Amino acid sequence: MEEHKREFHLPTKDEIRPIQESLLNWYEKKQRTLPWRVPFNQESPASIEKLTKDELNLRAYKVWVSEIMLQQTRVETVISYFNKWMIKFPTIQDLAKAPLEEVNTIWAGLGYYRRAKFLHEGAQQIVKESHGIILSSVEELLKIKGIGKYTAGAISSIAFGKTASLVDGNVI
């Protein structure tokens, strides 16, 4: 059997562009209105730059909470939990100062309480180390307790409009 180079299996830039456009068109038509995306669904990277630091931080916090809740849990289930969470802990500072028992009470029903614990500890770490400001780079986000590669990439790209590689285990 004749061997061939790895590049044989990789699409060219000319082949990638139509795929990207097709995916973005599909998303634009089929996207769901989700509370952690509102009002950010229609924003371009240029409009992200116009957000204040507080708006960006809240956006990053919402993306972070949603990404952690969505691990091992269906979107339809997460929506009501996310809404309750944001009423109880509307900012990262509110989450950081809450007792863990209160965090677990709001989390109850989602399972895997370790996720809630790490979210709580991560919020405390961010408040302590960066005065409650969620940093935008994947490298900095990976230093936060409970944030792995996928979540760091999601926060960086969705909240801050940065380019970040994401591989979702649900689509492999």
Side-chain angles (χ1 to χ4, degrees), residues 50-89:
K50 295 177 184 174
L51 296 175
T52 67
K53 287 182 181 181
D54 287 342
E55 290 170 329
L56 271 175
N57 205 53
L58 179 59
R59 176 186 175 112
Y61 172 62
K62 287 181 175 183
V63 170
W64 179 28
V65 169
S66 71
E67 288 295 330
I68 299 302
M69 286 183 171
L70 287 164
Q71 293 170 5
Q72 308 275 328
T73 311
R74 293 174 41 120
V75 172
E76 294 77 15
T77 302
V78 167
I79 292 171
S80 64
Y81 284 91
F82 177 85
N83 289 332
K84 285 189 281 187
W85 184 277
M86 294 312 295
I87 289 167
K88 189 69 176 173
F89 311 116

Side-chain angles (χ1 to χ4, degrees), residues 64-74 78 85 100 103-104 107 109-122 145-146:
W64 179 28
V65 169
S66 71
E67 288 295 330
I68 299 302
M69 286 183 171
L70 287 164
Q71 293 170 5
Q72 308 275 328
T73 311
R74 293 174 41 120
V78 167
W85 184 277
L100 182 57
V103 172
N104 284 337
W107 193 269
L110 281 174
Y112 303 99
Y113 285 87
R114 188 174 142 194
R115 296 182 292 165
K117 181 181 182 228
F118 284 169
L119 194 53
H120 185 241
E121 290 175 359
K145 177 85 173 193

Side-chain angles (χ1 to χ4, degrees), residues 14-166:
D14 290 337
E15 293 169 325
I16 289 173
R17 190 72 182 151
I19 295 169
Q20 289 174 326
E21 288 176 10
S22 177
L23 281 171
L24 290 171
N25 288 336
W26 172 85
Y27 178 76
E28 191 173 310
K29 292 175 189 166
K30 302 290 186 176
Q31 67 180 308
R32 295 181 269 188
T33 301
L34 300 170
W36 47 88
R37 290 188 189 156
V38 176
F40 309 119
N41 277 353
Q42 305 305 320
E43 290 183 352
S44 65
S47 63
I48 290 172
E49 294 173 6
K50 295 177 184 174
L51 296 175
T52 67
K53 287 182 181 181
D54 287 342
E55 290 170 329
L56 271 175
N57 205 53
L58 179 59
R59 176 186 175 112
Y61 172 62
K62 287 181 175 183
V63 170
W64 179 28
V65 169
S66 71
E67 288 295 330
I68 299 302
M69 286 183 171
L70 287 164
Q71 293 170 5
Q72 308 275 328
T73 311
R74 293 174 41 120
V75 172
E76 294 77 15
T77 302
V78 167
I79 292 171
S80 64
Y81 284 91
F82 177 85
N83 289 332
K84 285 189 281 187
W85 184 277
M86 294 312 295
I87 289 167
K88 189 69 176 173
F89 311 116
T91 68
I92 195 168
Q93 290 82 0
D94 293 316
L95 174 58
K97 68 183 177 187
L100 182 57
E101 297 77 29
E102 192 175 349
V103 172
N104 284 337
T105 298
I106 298 299
W107 193 269
L110 281 174
Y112 303 99
Y113 285 87
R114 188 174 142 194
R115 296 182 292 165
K117 181 181 182 228
F118 284 169
L119 194 53
H120 185 241
E121 290 175 359
Q124 291 173 329
Q125 181 182 347
I126 291 168
V127 166
K128 180 181 177 187
E129 294 177 6
S130 60
H131 309 288
I133 303 300
I134 300 172
L135 301 175
S136 64
S137 77
V138 170
E139 295 76 22
E140 290 297 324
L141 290 164
L142 285 170
K143 296 175 184 176
I144 305 302
K145 177 85 173 193
I147 295 182
K149 286 183 185 180
Y150 180 87
T151 302
I155 295 167
S156 184
S157 64
I158 297 168
F160 297 104
K162 306 275 185 187
T163 300
S165 299
L166 302 176

